[in-house]
Amino acid sequence: MSSLALAVVLSLVSAVAYAAGAIMQEHVAASTSARPYAPLHHAAWWVAVALNGFGAVLHVAALAYGPLSLVQPLGALTIVFALPMAALFVRRRAGAAAWRGAIITTAGLAGLLALTGTSASQSLDGGQRGLLAGATFGGVALLFLVAQTVNRPIIRSVLLAAAAGVAFGIASVFTKTVAVDWTWSAPLDQWPSLVAIAVLACGGLLLSQSSYHGAGLAAPLATVTVVNPVVAAAVGLTMFGETFRYGVLGTVFALAFGAVAAGGLILLTTERIKATSTAAEALAQAEPAAQIRASESAPSRQTARHSEPRVHHADGTPRPSDRRVLSSDAGSAGPEVGEGIDVGPVSGPCTHFEMQMRP
């Protein structure tokens, strides 16, 4: 098997592992809303971490055997695998709009990155790596802070997913750099890049976990799937000397495919917003109906209480065991007798007294 074919196989299996991990993350996010970033007590979350780790190892191996412009587009197949896997294993069916959006996004992304030209394996020097790391951490932090100020869950989730996509994309860039420069005789020379990869990978995992809260699977996963390779391809074009194929015509087609991918992402997000709005409207309509039913049943209970019979002795005096309150027929606001205690027999006629029961 050639190195290119091996890179393709590793990328496909990596996409399946990432899709399974995303499904597990979304399932954990739906059941553990109290811990949006790292529900460490949930065993399923650790399964998702293991699946993402397995996918990352395969992705690193694919980058070692194939070019960045090939391996990163194949990562877009994650969302293609995720939708049928979610419908099959967790019975979470996506709507027709989500399917169309996923297909359009993947097609646009594949066309965009298919036009990215390849070049000889290059690396980044120390200054370029420091600049790239600083810009990445600043951009991820900015997206995270903006997401915390947004009230709409779907927009917040997309922003967090975009931050995760940036982290994953730049982690792939550093991984490619380490793969090019790695030598077994001096492995410690790559420790700054290895630290950056670890921080970006862990940060991307936590951000993607949080992005599934309130937005389901389709929109956050589509955002990560688009942002990740686009960021990596942008770095490849600007810092690795890669170019679009076919010159100006290739650049025009690349921009068109980028617009197609963006349209698919908007379709995915819009479908989720409509589903969330429909659920909220149904809940809002159910609450007034429940209040009306409660108010209608209240008078009947009040009538039942007032219709209880008044119990007297044969001589007209109340029973001592009944905690009743005596008041005058005139309805005066005078002091009440025997409130809250047992009332004993009253001497003399009781024609001017009646029994009143406290509800």
Side-chain angles (χ1 to χ4, degrees):
M1 182 181 293
S2 65
S3 60
L4 185 61
L6 182 59
V8 171
V9 172
L10 291 173
S11 298
L12 292 177
V13 180
S14 174
V16 173
Y18 278 133
I23 293 171
M24 293 295 296
Q25 283 184 270
E26 195 273 338
H27 174 71
V28 172
S31 58
T32 57
S33 59
R35 299 186 180 186
Y37 293 98
L40 302 179
H41 67 291
H42 206 296
W45 187 77
W46 290 105
V47 175
V49 171
L51 289 170
N52 280 284
F54 180 64
V57 171
L58 295 177
H59 185 73
V60 170
L63 287 172
Y65 287 101
L68 184 66
S69 57
L70 171 67
V71 174
Q72 289 301 115
L74 291 177
L77 295 175
T78 298
I79 191 169
V80 178
F81 295 144
L83 291 181
M85 289 172 63
L88 179 62
F89 294 109
V90 296
R91 300 293 188 269
R92 189 177 297 276
R93 301 185 181 277
W99 283 104
R100 289 195 298 269
I103 294 172
I104 292 172
T105 299
T106 303
L109 184 60
L112 171 65
L113 297 179
L115 292 171
T116 302
T118 59
S119 60
S121 296
Q122 298 184 19
S123 181
L124 303 176
D125 58 32
Q128 289 177 322
R129 296 185 192 188
L131 178 63
L132 182 60
T136 301
F137 289 126
V140 170
L142 179 61
L143 288 172
F144 175 79
L145 293 176
V146 172
Q148 304 310 305
T149 63
V150 176
N151 294 326
R152 299 196 67 176
I154 184 66
I155 299 178
R156 175 181 176 275
S157 296
V158 169
L159 289 173
L160 291 173
V166 172
F168 286 140
I170 300 302
S172 296
V173 172
F174 275 101
T175 301
K176 181 63 177 178
T177 301
V178 171
V180 172
D181 293 344
W182 181 268
T183 56
W184 290 104
S185 59
L188 295 180
D189 291 346
Q190 302 298 321
W191 72 266
S193 296
L194 293 175
V195 171
I197 292 171
V199 173
L200 289 172
C202 293
L205 177 64
L206 299 180
L207 288 169
S208 64
Q209 175 65 57
S210 178
S211 70
Y212 293 114
H213 283 272
L217 178 67
L221 183 57
T223 303
V224 173
T225 305
V226 169
V227 173
N228 180 350
V230 166
V231 168
V235 173
L237 291 170
T238 57
M239 304 185 73
F240 283 84
E242 298 180 355
T243 58
F244 288 116
R245 296 176 180 177
Y246 313 118
V248 177
L249 182 62
T251 302
V252 173
F253 275 105
L255 294 176
F257 279 120
V260 170
L265 178 60
I266 293 173
L267 184 61
L268 272 169
T269 307
T270 304
E271 190 267 347
R272 183 58 191 176
I273 290 176
K274 289 181 179 178
T276 305
S277 300
T278 302
E281 290 176 0
L283 181 61
Q285 292 175 358
E287 288 181 353
Q291 293 176 358
I292 291 173
R293 288 193 298 269
S295 62
E296 288 177 350
S297 61
S300 61
R301 291 194 299 267
Q302 185 76 11
T303 304
R305 285 197 299 267
H306 286 295
S307 62
E308 294 177 359
R310 298 172 180 176
V311 182
H312 296 73
H313 286 290
D315 59 356
T317 60
R319 290 182 180 178
S321 59
D322 294 325
R323 296 186 177 183
R324 305 256 164 69
V325 179
L326 305 179
S327 63
S328 65
D329 287 333
S332 62
E336 297 179 339
V337 181
E339 182 177 4
I341 62 173
D342 292 337
V343 180
V346 180
S347 60
C350 299
T351 57
H352 61 285
F353 287 98
E354 69 176 2
M355 303 302 301
Q356 288 187 343
M357 295 181 293
R358 288 291 182 181

